[in-house]
């Protein structure tokens, strides 16, 4: 029975994550030809094609897609096994910030695994809005943060986890008078959606009628017909109407991991663990 090579599996996952051999080469210490050679050897070893190599076709074959699923599990266990051999050497405290949007089941599992691997590292988590977390990073109040920013505000040192699209939405039952200020549902005073929206409002303007820090609360307010809101695509349901054509265009959202300058060894280890497990992926819905 053939055995799977860890480096080859990492290369295949990189191709799947970044959307092709050329893009994978931009993120790996390998040339494009070296990556192609690794995949060809893996295909020969398994006696099946993993990449389609046809213009317009899906990147991965059915076999390749299936192997990527297994590869992610294998690589996760592989990294966990390696980390467990040196876990006693790592100790300290981590101040982690995150937004409500990233407090997903996957992240909880990642933090749980990290805590088991490094029992001498204490992780204290703060759930805040992105603007608050950004300020805390700059002031040195937290060490690392998972948060949202507009794609045009990503910093060179940020680790991109995934992207989403921001849409203007309303209830299908809500009737709007476009000649008057529109009732606007804002996350809260620190909502960076609101700040960008108020800089380029529709001709009639916006009137904030509700502030709520919870995405679930904003969703409920939209469905109740209380006003219009800006929501990431993952929160939009069929009973909402997207009204982007009538409103100012908004930038794409980037979910990022940002570290304070000169991160400690425990912070760097958590950063690597999160990025390996989540990036680039889609947010948990």
């Amino acid at each position: 029975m053939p055995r799977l090579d860890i480096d080859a599996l990492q290369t295949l996952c990189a191709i799947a994550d970044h959307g092709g051999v050329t893009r994978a080469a931009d993120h790996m210490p390998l040339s494009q030809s070296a990556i192609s050679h690794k995949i060809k050897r893996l295909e020969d070893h398994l006696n099946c094609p993993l990449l389609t190599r046809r213009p317009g076709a899906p990147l991965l074959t059915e076999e390749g897609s299936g192997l990527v699923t297994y590869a992610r599990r294998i690589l996760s266990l592989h990294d966990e096994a390696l980390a467990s051999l040196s876990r006693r050497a790592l100790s300290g405290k981590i101040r982690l910030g995150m937004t409500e949007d990233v407090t997903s089941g996957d992240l909880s599992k990642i933090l749980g695994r990290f805590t088991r691997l490094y029992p001498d590292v204490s992780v204290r988590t703060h759930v805040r809005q992105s603007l608050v977390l950004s300020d805390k990073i700059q002031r040195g109040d937290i060490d690392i943060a998972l948060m949202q920013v507009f794609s045009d505000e990503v910093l060179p040192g940020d680790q991109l986890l995934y992207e989403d699209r921001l849409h203007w939405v309303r209830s299908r039952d809500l009737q709007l008078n476009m000649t008057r200020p529109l009732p606007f549902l804002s996350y809260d005073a620190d909502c960076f959606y609101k700040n960008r929206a108020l800089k380029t409002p529709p001709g009639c303007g916006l009137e904030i009628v509700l502030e709520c820090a919870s995405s679930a609360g904003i969703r409920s307010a939209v469905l109740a017909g209380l006003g219009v809101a800006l929501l990431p695509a993952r929160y939009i349901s069929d009973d909402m109407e997207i009204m982007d054509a009538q409103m100012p265009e908004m930038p794409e959202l980037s979910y990022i991991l940002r570290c304070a300058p000169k991160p400690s060894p425990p912070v760097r280890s958590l950063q690597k663990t999160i990025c390996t497990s989540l990036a680039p992926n889609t947010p948990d819905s």
Side-chain angles (χ1 to χ4, degrees):
M1 179 179 294
R3 295 182 181 274
L4 295 170
D5 177 72
I6 290 293
D7 289 342
L9 293 181
Q10 289 176 329
T11 302
L12 180 64
C13 287
I15 292 172
D17 289 340
H18 298 292
V21 172
T22 302
R23 292 180 179 177
D26 293 335
H27 295 81
M28 298 185 70
L30 294 172
S31 66
Q32 183 176 339
S33 60
I35 289 176
S36 298
H37 180 65
K38 274 184 177 290
I39 297 302
K40 184 63 170 63
R41 284 184 60 188
L42 182 59
E43 290 176 324
D44 292 343
H45 191 56
L46 298 174
N47 195 30
C48 67
L50 301 174
L51 303 181
T52 56
R53 301 179 176 86
R54 295 195 310 273
L59 176 62
L60 300 171
T61 63
E62 183 177 351
E63 294 86 352
S65 181
L67 182 57
V68 164
T69 301
Y70 283 112
R72 296 192 193 282
R73 293 161 58 186
I74 292 169
L75 293 172
S76 178
L77 287 172
H78 173 268
D79 292 344
E80 185 172 332
L82 290 179
S84 68
L85 298 176
S86 59
R87 63 187 178 189
R88 299 295 178 187
L90 199 63
S91 63
K93 296 182 179 180
I94 299 175
R95 297 165 299 174
L96 169 66
M98 66 177 70
T99 62
E100 181 210 17
D101 285 60
V102 298
T103 54
S104 66
D106 283 348
L107 184 59
S108 297
K109 292 177 183 177
I110 293 167
L111 293 177
R113 186 168 69 247
F114 182 84
T115 301
R116 291 192 300 273
L117 289 172
Y118 304 106
D120 295 329
V121 176
S122 171
V123 181
R124 182 177 179 183
T125 305
H126 308 255
V127 179
R128 300 288 190 275
Q129 294 283 53
S130 292
L131 286 179
V132 175
L133 295 178
S134 180
D135 288 342
K136 283 182 173 291
I137 281 278
Q138 290 181 1
R139 295 197 306 266
D141 294 338
I142 57 176
D143 304 303
I144 186 171
L146 290 95
M147 59 188 188
Q148 299 177 27
V149 296
F150 287 125
S151 295
D152 56 8
E153 297 172 347
V154 175
L155 300 179
D158 293 340
Q159 296 285 332
L160 178 64
L161 300 177
Y162 41 77
E163 295 178 310
D164 203 352
R165 189 71 195 175
L166 197 62
H167 296 285
W168 291 93
V169 295
R170 66 175 176 180
S171 165
R172 294 189 181 277
D173 297 328
L174 176 62
Q175 300 298 316
L176 294 172
N177 184 344
M178 301 300 291
T179 65
R180 301 179 60 184
L182 302 181
F184 181 60
L185 311 173
S186 171
Y187 274 79
D188 63 16
D190 297 307
C191 174
F192 72 99
Y193 300 174
K194 177 196 70 176
N195 293 346
R196 182 66 67 97
L198 292 180
K199 288 180 180 178
T200 54
C204 53
L206 298 170
E207 179 183 359
I208 298 174
V209 297
L210 178 140
E211 289 187 350
C212 175
S214 164
S215 296
I218 295 292
R219 270 191 96 255
S220 296
V222 170
L223 293 174
L226 298 184
V228 302
L230 283 163
L231 280 178
R234 58 183 296 219
Y235 290 119
I236 298 174
S237 54
D238 292 340
D239 43 4
M240 296 180 188
E241 179 182 339
I242 295 176
M243 47 184 301
D244 291 348
Q246 303 163 264
M247 306 294 284
E249 183 179 0
M250 302 298 289
E252 289 190 353
L253 285 177
S254 292
Y255 289 75
I256 62 165
L257 188 65
R258 180 175 293 174
C259 287
K262 300 180 180 179
S264 66
V267 171
R268 288 198 299 269
S269 183
L270 178 59
Q271 177 188 27
K272 181 179 178 181
T273 299
I274 293 173
C275 288
T276 300
S277 302
L278 289 182
N281 212 328
T282 55
D284 211 19
S285 54

